[in-house]
Amino acid sequence: MAGEIPDLHAQERTGTGKGAARAARRAKMVPGIVFGGDKEPLAIQVPFNELLKRLKAGRFKSTLFNLKVEGQEDVRVICRDVQRDVVKDLPTHFDLLRLRRTTRLNLFIPVEFVGHEECPGLSKGGVLTTVRPEVELNVQAGDIPDHITVDLSGKDIGDVMHIDEVDLPKGAKVTVDRNFVIANLSAPSSLKSSGDDDEEEVAADEVPATEVEES
């Protein structure tokens, strides 16, 4: 189960409207709002540098956060929108959605490889090429896996690992309707050519942005 959901620290913001938002920005904070979950909206703010750092790290809008606001209960949230300055492209406001445990959403889950010592291909000097270090899955907010596991035991040079070979966590579903490649084992001399093929396959597997569906 997911035990490493990142914390997002925020402060409750007094006042609403454009004036309060401008005051927050003057204090080097980014104003935001938390909504959904059968509760009243909550006005918050986070330090500008902290939000910018998370945005630059990527996938801010597809990452589940544990929101921590002093005086409020911790709640799981996901970003629904980030407004930016049209000239500077810097964040000016953000919206967070509270999630019920039964809410289904799309998240990128890391891939973990096991069975290296029982892999004939690796013992022969083969190279493991990871095409997808993480896979987007549709999961419940209350039942998010830390990772999915790919077993290399018995795999030889030339073998290709596809998503349909992976035992997905209970309730998880792949968002791509296709048996895509996760990794392959190749001889060092063929690494470049096999890598080119895999890049084409990954490009064909691109999927829309994260979707959240309330239940």
Side-chain angles (χ1 to χ4, degrees):
M1 299 301 301
E4 299 181 2
I5 297 174
D7 289 338
L8 180 61
H9 294 268
Q11 303 170 10
E12 188 168 358
R13 179 164 50 95
T14 57
T16 58
K18 294 182 179 180
R22 283 195 295 266
R25 296 185 191 107
R26 286 195 297 269
K28 297 184 178 180
M29 308 291 284
V30 181
I33 192 77
V34 187
F35 65 95
D38 298 326
K39 294 184 179 180
E40 291 296 317
L42 175 67
I44 61 172
Q45 59 187 16
V46 299
F48 174 84
N49 289 338
E50 175 62 23
L51 181 59
L52 187 62
K53 177 182 176 181
R54 291 185 181 274
L55 290 172
K56 288 183 176 180
R59 288 183 176 156
F60 182 75
K61 293 177 68 174
S62 61
T63 299
L64 185 71
F65 290 103
N66 179 48
L67 180 66
K68 302 179 78 70
V69 179
E70 186 175 353
Q72 302 284 337
E73 292 185 0
D74 290 4
V75 61
R76 290 182 176 183
V77 298
I78 194 166
C79 180
R80 301 310 294 135
D81 191 28
V82 176
Q83 291 88 51
R84 296 174 180 266
D85 183 276
V86 294
V87 177
K88 300 179 180 179
D89 195 35
L90 296 176
T92 58
H93 192 279
F94 63 98
D95 302 329
L96 300 178
L97 173 66
R98 298 185 186 96
L99 299 176
R100 303 184 184 93
R101 292 186 62 84
T102 55
T103 300
R104 298 196 68 89
L105 66 159
N106 295 353
L107 290 176
F108 286 91
I109 306 299
V111 176
E112 181 178 285
F113 295 91
V114 299
H116 294 75
E117 296 181 356
E118 292 77 35
C119 178
L122 292 179
S123 65
K124 295 175 183 176
V127 177
L128 176 65
T129 302
T130 304
V131 177
R132 286 179 179 251
E134 51 187 10
V135 173
E136 190 179 34
L137 298 179
N138 181 267
V139 297
Q140 281 193 340
D143 194 21
I144 299 171
D146 288 321
H147 62 272
I148 61 173
T149 302
V150 175
D151 192 357
L152 300 176
S153 301
K155 300 297 184 182
D156 211 337
I157 291 176
D159 285 346
V160 179
M161 282 64 74
H162 293 82
I163 186 62
D164 69 353
E165 302 173 43
V166 179
D167 291 328
L168 296 178
K170 182 179 179 181
K173 302 175 183 178
V174 181
T175 61
V176 178
D177 187 20
R178 159 166 209 239
N179 187 25
F180 55 80
V181 173
I182 294 179
N184 63 62
L185 274 169
S186 59
S189 60
S190 62
L191 180 58
K192 183 176 180 180
S193 61
S194 66
D196 291 342
D197 292 341
D198 292 332
E199 287 176 2
E200 293 178 3
E201 179 151 5
V202 172
D205 286 339
E206 292 301 323
V207 294
T210 299
E211 299 176 356
V212 176
E213 108 189 32
E214 291 281 1
S215 58

